[in-house]
Amino acid sequence: MKNSALEQRFRCGPIEASYENSRWFSGFMKVLYLLVGIYFFWLMTGEEMLVEHLDNWAVLAFCFWRIHRQDDVMCYVADKGLIVRRQFRSLREFYDDQFHEERNLIFLPYKDIFLISDNWQEIQLGQAEEGGIAVLPVHLQFLSKKNKQRLIDRIKKAHEADDDD
C-alpha cells in the first residue's frame, strides 16, 4: 500500500518512516523458504502423474509467495501515530494477512500507546489504571535494534509534546 493511501485511509498525517524486519531475519527466512521449495521440487521429480504434483506445486507457490512477502513493511511512523501490522489470531486472519495485507494494518495514536512489551510482540494501549489497558498483538519482534530504538524515541517525543501542550 502506498504512503498516500495509508495517510488518507487512517488520517494519520504525513508518514515519516517505514520499518521492515531486519535484513538478517528476512535473508534467513528467504533462504529457509528457498530450501523448502527446493526440497519439494526434488520430491516432485520422482512423481510421474500430474495429480501427484499438485500438493508439491501448492507448497512451491506458498514458498515463493513467502519469499516475496519477506520485505513487507511491519510498521509505519506517521505524524499522529503508528500504523502497525496486527498479529493474526485465526486461520481466516492468516489468509487475510497473506492476500489482503492492508486488512491487518491498524492505526495507533501516540497518546494511546502505553507500553511496548519486552519481546515486541504486544503493544499495551490505554491508561495505567485498573481495567484501562488493552493488549494488541503485533509483528514487531524482528525489527532491527536500531529501528526499535527509533520507534521508542518517536513515541517518547510524541508523549513529551503532549505533556507540553
Side-chain angles (χ1 to χ4, degrees), residues 21 87 119-122 138-144 148:
N21 288 330
Q87 173 70 35
N119 62 7
W120 287 80
Q121 293 179 341
E122 296 174 343
V138 293
H139 278 296
L140 299 177
Q141 66 267 31
F142 300 115
L143 296 177
S144 68
K148 287 178 182 177

Side-chain angles (χ1 to χ4, degrees), residues 38-88:
I38 290 170
Y39 174 73
F40 276 88
F41 184 78
W42 177 75
L43 285 178
M44 195 169 42
T45 60
E47 298 170 346
E48 297 177 14
M49 308 236 359
L50 178 63
V51 175
E52 295 172 337
H53 293 270
L54 293 179
D55 57 343
N56 292 337
W57 281 112
V59 172
L60 280 172
F62 180 76
C63 288
F64 287 135
W65 181 248
R66 290 308 307 159
I67 288 170
H68 168 71
R69 292 285 308 273
Q70 285 306 308
D71 295 326
D72 284 356
V73 175
M74 295 291 121
C75 177
Y76 295 91
V77 176
D79 186 44
K80 298 179 183 176
L82 300 178
I83 301 171
V84 295
R85 187 169 305 282
R86 195 170 46 89
Q87 173 70 35
F88 52 85

Side-chain angles (χ1 to χ4, degrees), residues 19-37:
Y19 300 122
E20 303 168 348
N21 288 330
S22 69
R23 289 183 187 154
W24 180 88
F25 178 76
S26 291
F28 172 76
M29 291 305 292
K30 286 178 182 180
V31 168
L32 180 67
Y33 282 117
L34 181 64
L35 292 174
V36 170

Side-chain angles (χ1 to χ4, degrees), residues 121-139:
Q121 293 179 341
E122 296 174 343
I123 294 180
Q124 295 179 2
L125 306 167
Q127 303 297 323
E129 58 190 45
E130 189 172 328
I133 293 183
V135 176
L136 176 71
V138 293
H139 278 296

